Amino acid sequence: MGNRLEGKVAIITGAARSMGAAQAGLFVAEGAKVVIADILDDDGKRLADQLGDSATFVHLDVGEEAQWEAAVDTAVTEFGSIDILVNNAGVYRRASFEEITPELIDLHYKVNQLGVFLGLRAVYAPMREQGSGSIVNVSSISGMRALPGHAAYGTTKWAVRGLTKYAATEFGRHGIRVNSTHPGFIDTVMLEENSPEVNAGISAVTPLGRKGTVDELAEVTLFLASDASSYVNGAELTIDGGTSI
Ligand SMILES: NC(=O)c1ccc[n+]([C@@H]2O[C@H](COP(=O)([O-])OP(=O)(O)OC[C@H]3O[C@@H](n4cnc5c(N)ncnc54)[C@H](O)[C@@H]3O)[C@@H](O)[C@H]2O)c1
């Protein structure tokens, strides 16, 4: 237990499981109130119950603008403000160029790219009013390098990197910082999309020789969300064991 987020209210999207759930747990342990936002209602509610009075669950499909309003309302009415947004929700389907369909492009676009844009827009006005805020957009090393089979997914992650820079430029004047994280291979449900052979090869190409954990990822998100990073804006931070160098 610490106090690195004492008095702060956060919305974390895709927080019902994996990386988002680890971030929610760490944020609460560091004094924050957290809105767990996801389309997985049962998992999200269960996690909110486990975390106690400092957490609540809201159903949010990040690609649906109207649902964002309800999520921000929940933060403000239940916990009093909105200080932190972690745009963590994401989908990943591995496909070669020949396998990619317009539907697959739409799926990635709606969740990974439009969802981040709508999140930025939803919190901008209340954060601007209070003159402060920290937004962390979860991109990927696929948003920095062209990885095999990642074209549909990775192009949205490049977009998240770009959106972060544009938002950091416009929001900065109002005391709102916007940064992106670029996880490498973090041990979560999402990696089940890869074949066992691909996942077995991951450690081999990682200078640290292993996958990352959700707790290692959460610590970096906490740094960017907290006042410890008060002069960090528009930055991109890799958490990848050195894979992208
Ligand atoms: N695991 C990795 O190795 C890795 C690497 C790089 C980037 N990432 C990124 O990290 C983030 C978290 O991924 P993860 O590994 O924890 O994956 P995960 O699949 O375990 O979790 C993703 C979460 O997002 C939620 N979600 C999906 N669509 C949604 C929607 N429309 N609205 C709201 N929530 C939705 C899911 O229900 C789930 O809870 C994603 O943005 C992912 O692209 C993961």
Side-chain angles (χ1 to χ4, degrees), residues 13-21 23 37-40 43 59-64 67 87-92 107 110-112 138-142 153 157 181-191 194 202 212 214 217 239:
T13 68
R17 70 181 188 200
S18 303
M19 283 170 34
Q23 290 161 8
D38 208 302
I39 51 174
L40 297 178
D43 290 351
H59 179 92
L60 170 67
D61 180 338
V62 293
E64 299 295 333
Q67 296 183 19
N87 275 315
N88 167 79
V91 290
Y92 163 58
L107 171 73
K110 194 170 178 207
V111 181
N112 298 359
V138 181
S139 174
S140 166
I141 55 168
S142 312
Y153 170 79
K157 293 300 187 178
T181 56
H182 298 262
F185 297 98
I186 310 295
D187 203 0
T188 73
V189 179
M190 192 170 269
L191 288 194
N194 294 333
I202 287 169
V214 292
L217 196 286
I239 309 103

Side-chain angles (χ1 to χ4, degrees), residues 198-221:
V198 167
N199 280 335
I202 287 169
S203 296
V205 300
T206 303
L208 282 184
R210 62 175 177 83
K211 286 178 272 192
T213 69
V214 292
D215 294 331
E216 290 173 311
L217 196 286
E219 281 292 342
V220 176
T221 316

Side-chain angles (χ1 to χ4, degrees), residues 11-55:
I11 296 175
I12 306 176
T13 68
R17 70 181 188 200
S18 303
M19 283 170 34
Q23 290 161 8
L26 182 61
F27 280 24
V28 166
E30 290 291 338
K33 308 278 191 215
V34 175
V35 177
I36 295 162
D38 208 302
I39 51 174
L40 297 178
D41 296 349
D42 291 346
D43 290 351
K45 282 179 193 156
R46 200 174 312 121
L47 179 64
D49 285 348
Q50 277 167 19
L51 294 177
D53 290 346
S54 294

